[in-house]
Amino acid sequence: MEWPDEFYALRRGEGCPMCAERRPGETPWGDRIFAGEVSDAYLQRADVQRGYTIVIWRGRHVAEPTELSDDEAAAYWLEVLRVGRAIEAHLRPVKLNYDLLGNSLPHLHTHVVPRYADDPRPGWPFPFPDDEAPPIEEALYASDAGALRSLLSLAL
């Protein structure tokens, strides 16, 4: 099996949906809880893991972190860590996973995935269900989004 031609176009930034969306307050998958200098963080609505957040690089199109300058990399990783610290402070997970994938959409983004004591797949790198996850209960989602926004407005 080979990588599809459209992957290479996306990798070059041609038709990249993350670039095209600019910096929306919400996407079909989640609400923005943090607007940093170089990234946005979106709390995901899917009930994969409570607090599951994606941090998206918002500079020029970049597929790999190795394409960032030293200053850009420092700014991006500091913002990813800021989001992680807020998730730790609010939800107290046992572990946080920081996953850099990009096989489906080659635009730099980091999945910040809290792992809990009652995790359904504690030794597995991804707790994602085999089927599409339903949305998180709305009141809990809104409460978590508000708490995380408040924490992220502070210097942690």
Side-chain angles (χ1 to χ4, degrees):
M1 183 160 175
E2 295 182 19
W3 293 82
D5 289 340
E6 55 269 10
F7 173 83
Y8 293 102
L10 284 171
R11 192 180 189 302
R12 290 187 300 271
E14 298 167 16
C16 174
M18 286 187 181
C19 289
E21 72 185 7
R22 305 258 181 220
R23 300 186 81 163
E26 65 180 271
T27 71
W29 303 278
D31 293 342
R32 186 171 60 193
I33 57 170
F34 176 70
E37 290 184 33
V38 300
S39 70
D40 290 326
Y42 294 86
L43 179 64
Q44 300 299 286
R45 290 190 170 279
D47 194 6
V48 172
Q49 289 283 77
R50 184 175 174 198
Y52 169 40
T53 300
I54 296 178
V55 182
I56 302 172
W57 165 258
R58 292 299 191 190
R60 70 190 188 294
H61 179 79
V62 169
E64 301 293 340
T66 53
E67 297 172 45
L68 298 173
S69 70
D70 290 347
D71 289 342
E72 290 170 329
Y76 179 71
W77 291 115
L78 287 171
E79 290 183 2
V80 169
L81 293 175
R82 184 173 179 175
V83 170
R85 288 183 180 113
I87 292 169
E88 286 176 331
H90 176 58
L91 296 169
R92 304 284 184 216
V94 172
K95 172 81 175 83
L96 280 180
N97 290 159
Y98 297 87
D99 301 323
L100 288 169
L101 304 171
N103 297 335
S104 298
L105 182 51
H107 179 106
L108 180 60
H109 62 286
T110 304
H111 299 252
V112 183
V113 186
R115 306 304 292 269
Y116 300 101
D118 63 350
D119 195 310
R121 297 179 177 182
W124 191 251
F126 306 107
F128 305 112
D130 293 329
D131 299 320
E132 188 170 329
I136 292 175
E137 191 271 314
E138 186 58 36
L140 180 61
Y141 180 82
S143 174
D144 286 344
L148 290 168
R149 279 188 194 103
S150 291
L151 286 167
L152 286 161
S153 70
L154 307 171
L156 296 175

